[in-house]
Amino acid sequence: MEDHSLRLQFIFAGVPEDQIEIALENFYGLGGAPEITCTGDYVAAKSLYAVMDASVPPQDMHSAVARYVITLGARMTEWEMRNSLT
């Protein structure tokens, strides 16, 4: 069963419907945000992270939305670390 709150967060953030489907597939298949593989992914992730993080209550660590935000932040950190070495 799909978590509609996660879909609504993507819609609220202005993510196009086709990208929402991809993100949801990654979340339900991988348990979180997809790997960031290019600068465009990183820029989109930063924008999405800002909107979604602002809407998650600080004490929420377990909802689907919170888990997505946490993994998205981790993916962004991985990207930043990988690209600061080059």
Side-chain angles (χ1 to χ4, degrees):
M1 182 174 162
E2 181 179 298
D3 184 332
H4 293 289
S5 63
L6 185 56
R7 177 179 289 282
L8 290 174
Q9 288 296 318
F10 283 123
I11 290 169
F12 177 74
V15 177
E17 185 66 29
D18 61 335
Q19 291 180 8
I20 292 172
E21 291 305 316
I22 292 167
L24 290 172
E25 287 174 17
N26 279 300
F27 179 77
Y28 296 115
L30 303 173
E35 183 177 352
I36 297 173
T37 60
C38 66
T39 303
D41 289 350
Y42 178 74
V43 170
K46 278 183 65 171
S47 175
L48 184 59
Y49 182 86
V51 172
M52 292 182 77
D53 186 50
S55 69
V56 176
Q59 69 278 12
D60 181 3
M61 300 286 288
H62 302 289
S63 72
V65 174
R67 291 190 324 258
Y68 191 89
V69 171
I70 291 166
T71 60
L72 184 60
R75 297 293 192 186
M76 290 168 44
T77 300
E78 291 168 359
W79 172 262
E80 291 164 355
M81 292 176 65
R82 241 186 351 254
N83 288 289
S84 68
L85 301 175
T86 58

